[in-house]
Amino acid sequence: RDLHSFPTRRSSDLEGNETMHDRFIIFLLSISLLSGCGSNLIKASEAKDVPPDRLIAVPTKSPERNANIVIVRDKVEGWYEILVKLDGKELAKINRGERLQFPLEPGPHIFAISTWSGTTNELETTLKPSETSYYRISVLPSPSIQRSSEVAP
């Protein structure tokens, strides 16, 4: 038989299949990357305290009727530190699976977080006397700090 009589595949026929295959591989890689970096919620009681070398200016005075603040960063997402600010002042740098807790005067406050890339997110809140307020830092899909429903430290 003559080899030229068999049907052959043209490179243009292969391109469509390779493109679908390539897209499928990219899809699988994206899913695995997102699941590896995705949020893994952690309770405040399971989080580790931010070590002293990353505390910048955390309030320590505890006047009577102070509010208590607990900030938790989700366990798995992101590999970099997040800078936590309170009313424009730097408090601490928090890593995955860590918590920051401190007393704070009741009233209006603004929490802000910043990433190494300069992305910033703010949350305005009003604290009540003798109340413990919980906040969660998430990185995906974009860095944010939000009130959490945690009920016990």
Side-chain angles (χ1 to χ4, degrees), residues 86-103:
L86 170 66
D87 299 327
K89 297 177 184 167
E90 295 181 356
L91 291 182
K93 293 180 181 178
I94 189 169
N95 270 332
R96 301 172 291 129
E98 292 181 340
R99 80 174 160 239
L100 179 62
Q101 44 191 353
F102 53 92

Side-chain angles (χ1 to χ4, degrees), residues 3 16 42 48 68 80 92 108 113 147-148 150 152:
L3 291 176
I42 185 171
K48 298 176 186 174
N68 293 302
Y80 46 86
I113 59 168
R147 193 133 188 167
S148 177
E150 184 85 26

Side-chain angles (χ1 to χ4, degrees), residues 71-72 77 80-89 91-92 94 109-125 135-147:
I71 300 172
V72 176
E77 51 182 44
Y80 46 86
E81 297 170 341
I82 300 283
L83 178 63
V84 179
K85 297 178 183 179
L86 170 66
D87 299 327
K89 297 177 184 167
L91 291 182
I94 189 169
H109 295 280
I110 298 174
F111 290 105
I113 59 168
S114 299
T115 66
W116 61 271
S117 66
T119 303
T120 301
N121 180 264
E122 293 183 347
L123 173 71
E124 195 170 341
T125 189
Y135 299 88
R136 179 170 305 280
I137 295 175
S138 300
V139 178
L140 295 176
S142 63
S144 67
I145 182 167
Q146 52 195 317
R147 193 133 188 167

Side-chain angles (χ1 to χ4, degrees), residues 17-82:
N17 291 337
E18 289 175 354
T19 302
M20 281 303 279
H21 180 262
D22 292 345
R23 288 180 185 164
F24 183 70
I25 295 296
I26 290 170
F27 172 75
L28 289 177
L29 286 172
S30 299
I31 295 296
S32 67
L33 286 173
L34 287 175
S35 65
C37 294
S39 176
N40 189 2
L41 301 179
I42 185 171
K43 290 185 175 185
S45 58
E46 298 169 354
K48 298 176 186 174
D49 287 323
V50 173
D53 64 321
R54 283 191 275 114
L55 299 176
I56 299 168
V58 177
T60 55
K61 295 179 183 176
S62 184
E64 196 173 314
R65 295 177 40 89
N66 249 1
N68 293 302
I69 303 301
V70 181
I71 300 172
V72 176
R73 179 164 171 203
D74 291 339
K75 193 172 182 180
V76 175
E77 51 182 44
W79 295 99
Y80 46 86
E81 297 170 341
I82 300 283

Side-chain angles (χ1 to χ4, degrees), residues 43-44 132 134 148-153:
K43 290 185 175 185
T132 298
Y134 295 88
S148 177
S149 60
E150 184 85 26
V151 290

